[in-house]
């Protein structure tokens, strides 16, 4: 069972032993695949919108489904038939816009044959139902003409209460969630504990020290990152004002703050992703890394689309 303590007024996670050790014959390991590393809803540039896949002994768990996730999933060589569950961090479009189409693309390839559970903040169950309703003519036609299974019976949306909690557990992974500040929406950070190690995904959040406690001892921390000099250029391009700029600054975590969280958590690897802004090529990897490296002494990876990161 998940062991809970109270730190800074929220639940702190100290995972108990989860799984029996795999034998050499059946151990294939775990890896994180960064499907999309650009923050925000804008399309274009060299990065796709936010999406990730955790692969554990072949089973696949997708975290966020921004625009482009289906194409990136295929480019990464992942198998729709191995998809087990989907986790949405929050209801900004860059994190859920292709949720329905991703499920549809799974179904239309005849890969959706077993139940898939989708977890996220309030609105998940409604989003599942609304997507099937929007596309009911196509779905009903293909069921009748092509003999397909009914996808509406296989996908189950789960609205999570906005509290620290264990979300689910199967034979590959245990998933826990921590609410983090990303006003005005509810965001969840997720922790994935596997037989091979642990991955924590921040979702979108401003600086939040309880997240460091949540990520304590993890092998990989995937954290969003904001580069402050780039925000001025982003504000100018978007023809935004001071309110627009302040929203971006206040709702996200600067590169310096990301390093502080990683150091407090004591994680083995920091993976910077969900870059804000993520489509300005003049911002180099060294620029992203510099702020975090002032505070974190471990390995820093500036994430790239389709990059694979071993979990160990």
């Amino acid at each position: 069972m998940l062991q809970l303590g109270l730190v800074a007024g929220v639940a702190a996670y100290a995972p108990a032993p989860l799984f029996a050790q795999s034998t050499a014959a059946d151990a294939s390991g775990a890896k994180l695949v960064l499907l999309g590393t650009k923050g925000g809803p804008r399309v274009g540039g060299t990065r796709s919108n936010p999406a990730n896949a955790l692969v554990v002994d072949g089973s696949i768990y997708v975290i966020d489904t921004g625009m482009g996730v289906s194409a990136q999933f295929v480019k990464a060589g992942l198998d729709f038939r191995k998809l087990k569950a989907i986790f949405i961090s929050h209801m900004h479009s860059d994190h859920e816009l292709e949720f329905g189409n991703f499920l549809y693309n799974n179904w239309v390839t005849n890969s959706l044959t077993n139940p898939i559970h989708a977890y996220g903040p309030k609105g998940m169950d409604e989003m599942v139902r609304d997507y099937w309703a929007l596309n009911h003519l196509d779905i009903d036609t293909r069921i009748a003409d092509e003999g397909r299974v009914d996808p509406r019976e296989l996908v189950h949306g789960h609205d999570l209460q906005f509290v620290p909690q264990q979300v689910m557990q199967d034979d590959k992974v245990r998933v826990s969630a921590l609410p983090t500040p990303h006003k005005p929406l509810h965001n969840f950070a997720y922790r994935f504990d596997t037989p091979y190690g642990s991955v924590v995904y921040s979702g979108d959040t401003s600086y939040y020290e309880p997240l460091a406690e949540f990520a304590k001892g993890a092998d990989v921390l995937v954290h969003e990152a904001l580069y402050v000099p780039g925000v001025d250029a982003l504000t100018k391009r978007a023809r935004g004002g001071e309110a627009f700029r302040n929203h971006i600054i206040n709702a996200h975590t600067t590169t310096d703050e990301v390093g502080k969280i990683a150091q407090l958590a004591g994680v083995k690897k920091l993976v910077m992703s969900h870059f804000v802004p993520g489509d300005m090529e003049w911002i180099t990897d060294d620029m992203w890394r510099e702020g975090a490296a002032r505070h974190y002494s471990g390995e820093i990876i500036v994430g790239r689309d389709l990059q694979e990161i071993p979990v160990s």
Side-chain angles (χ1 to χ4, degrees):
M1 293 296 294
L2 194 66
Q3 300 173 349
L4 300 180
L6 289 179
V7 176
V10 300
Y13 289 74
L18 274 180
F19 310 96
Q21 289 294 317
S22 299
T23 65
D26 62 15
S28 56
K31 65 180 179 181
L32 178 71
V33 185
L34 305 179
L35 300 176
T37 58
K38 175 176 59 180
R42 184 183 178 95
V43 296
T46 59
R47 298 181 186 273
S48 190
N49 298 104
N52 308 268
L54 178 65
V55 185
V56 185
D57 290 340
S59 295
I60 302 172
Y61 306 84
V62 166
I63 310 109
D64 282 338
T65 55
M67 190 67 180
V69 61
S70 298
Q72 295 294 91
F73 192 88
V74 173
K75 287 179 184 177
L78 299 175
D79 187 343
F80 278 117
R81 293 171 297 178
K82 303 295 182 62
L83 179 65
K84 301 300 182 184
I86 298 173
F87 303 86
I88 301 297
S89 61
H90 66 290
M91 291 301 182
H92 266 144
S93 63
D94 54 322
H95 293 257
E96 49 78 3
L97 189 61
E98 201 173 315
F99 171 76
N101 286 350
F102 181 67
L103 289 168
Y104 179 91
N105 289 329
N106 186 325
W107 174 67
V108 83
T109 59
N110 286 325
S111 300
L112 181 57
T113 56
N114 295 308
I116 291 178
H117 294 268
Y119 305 89
K122 183 179 179 180
M124 287 300 304
D125 182 54
E126 182 181 19
M127 192 160 64
V128 171
R129 287 186 282 107
D130 286 352
Y131 182 81
W132 297 138
L134 176 67
N135 293 278
H136 73 277
L137 292 176
D138 173 273
I139 292 167
D140 290 340
T141 299
R142 292 188 187 279
I143 290 173
D145 284 358
E146 302 170 18
R148 296 180 183 274
V149 300
D150 190 335
R152 292 162 291 203
E153 299 176 359
L154 292 173
V155 180
H156 307 281
H158 301 274
D159 292 357
L160 302 178
Q161 294 185 344
F162 200 54
V163 296
Q165 63 198 278
Q166 179 170 318
V167 177
M168 59 82 74
Q169 181 172 344
D170 61 17
D171 62 333
K172 306 294 184 186
V173 65
R174 179 179 63 195
V175 185
S176 309
L178 175 74
T180 71
H182 187 57
K183 294 180 179 180
L185 292 179
H186 286 170
N187 178 81
F188 283 111
Y190 290 105
R191 178 172 180 136
F192 300 83
D193 292 301
T194 82
Y196 307 99
S198 301
V199 176
V200 173
Y201 173 72
S202 72
D204 282 16
T205 179
S206 54
Y207 180 74
Y208 192 53
E209 289 193 3
L211 177 58
E213 185 64 32
F214 182 67
K216 205 68 136 175
D219 296 272
V220 179
L221 170 61
V222 185
H223 204 297
E224 67 133 85
L226 177 144
Y227 185 63
V228 175
V231 174
D232 294 325
L234 177 62
T235 301
K236 181 177 180 181
R237 183 179 69 186
R239 295 184 290 278
E242 193 66 19
F244 176 82
R245 183 183 186 278
N246 288 342
H247 164 73
I248 295 174
I249 295 289
N250 293 333
H252 297 284
T253 309
T254 68
T255 55
D256 279 82
E257 292 170 336
V258 172
K260 292 177 182 178
I261 292 294
Q263 188 67 23
L264 286 171
V267 295
K268 291 182 182 178
K269 297 178 184 177
L270 168 61
V271 178
M272 303 176 78
S273 188
H274 189 280
F275 296 106
V276 180
D279 58 356
M280 295 185 178
E281 298 303 320
W282 60 268
I283 305 176
T284 66
D285 285 3
D286 286 342
M287 290 176 182
W288 288 114
R289 187 181 292 107
E290 181 182 15
R294 293 191 189 104
H295 307 279
Y296 174 64
S297 57
E299 181 181 357
I300 298 175
I301 297 172
V302 178
R304 291 286 176 184
D305 286 12
L306 304 182
Q307 185 172 5
E308 296 186 2
I309 299 162
V311 179
S312 59

